[in-house]
């Protein structure tokens, strides 16, 4: 049987332990040779049942951030396209006049991009029978979406009553 170098090293350490530990035990005084106490029992006896753990603030902050992400379901961004829960601004929603709904939804999105080029590539037009929708943006927080909504309402007062922030699956590119 052939052993790898790591296996040979492990076997050497085990053999050394077998030969050294009895010799070490014999060199201890009788008080030191007693059975070691159960660590849990030792802690209970010495602390009176109260255990205090000192965690550095930097590590504690990292732990709390991770717990918050788990609680909210937020995943860390990876390079590339990330889909996550967020907000969009609904700028069009209608189910009347079926023959012109798609073109009206697309026109509304185009008007917003013409006035606000920062939303280029962030206009989402889709149908969920019998309605057509146009939604704008990829906002990670409701506050961010609300600020953009106010800006759009000022720019398009004729559509302001139809505009609102909606929860949506968003796309974030990192």
């Amino acid at each position: 049987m052939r052993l790898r170098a790591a296996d040979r090293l492990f076997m050497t350490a085990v053999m050394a332990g077998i030969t050294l530990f009895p010799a070490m035990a014999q060199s201890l005084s009788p008080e030191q040779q007693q059975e070691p106490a159960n660590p849990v029992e030792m802690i209970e006896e010495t602390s009176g049942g109260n255990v205090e753990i000192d965690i550095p603030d930097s590590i504690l902050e990292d732990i709390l951030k991770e717990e918050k992400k788990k609680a909210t379901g937020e995943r860390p961004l990876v390079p590339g396209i990330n889909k996550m829960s967020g907000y969009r601004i609904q700028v069009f929603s209608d189910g009347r006049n079926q023959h012109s709904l798609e073109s009206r939804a697309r026109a509304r999105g185009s008007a917003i991009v013409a006035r606000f080029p920062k939303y280029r590539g962030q206009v989402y037009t889709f149908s969920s029978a019998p309605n057509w929708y146009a939604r704008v943006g990829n906002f990670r927080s409701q506050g961010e979406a609300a600020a953009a909504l106010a800006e759009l309402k000022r720019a398009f007062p004729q559509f302001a009553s139809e505009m609102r922030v909606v929860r949506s699956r968003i796309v974030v590119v990192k």
Side-chain angles (χ1 to χ4, degrees), residues 3-98:
L3 297 175
R4 296 183 314 212
D7 293 333
R8 284 194 304 268
L9 182 62
F10 176 73
M11 291 300 291
T12 304
V14 169
M15 295 305 283
I18 291 171
T19 58
L20 290 177
F21 285 134
M24 288 174 56
Q26 291 170 357
S27 66
L28 297 176
S29 67
E31 299 88 36
Q32 294 171 329
Q33 288 184 11
Q34 290 178 357
E35 279 289 315
N38 179 341
V40 174
E41 290 174 2
M42 285 178 46
I43 291 171
E44 286 176 347
E45 288 174 14
T46 59
S47 69
N50 296 323
V51 178
E52 189 174 307
I53 301 173
D54 187 23
I55 301 174
D57 289 340
S58 60
I59 294 174
L60 187 59
E61 286 175 18
D62 290 342
I63 292 169
L64 294 175
K65 282 180 191 174
E66 289 302 316
E67 288 302 313
K68 184 178 178 185
K69 286 179 184 177
K70 287 179 186 175
T72 60
E74 186 178 320
R75 296 179 309 188
L77 294 179
V78 295
I81 297 172
N82 295 271
K83 292 184 179 183
M84 58 187 11
S85 182
Y87 300 89
R88 289 194 173 137
I89 299 169
Q90 188 165 291
V91 295
F92 179 84
S93 171
D94 198 347
R96 298 169 286 141
N97 298 333
Q98 289 294 317

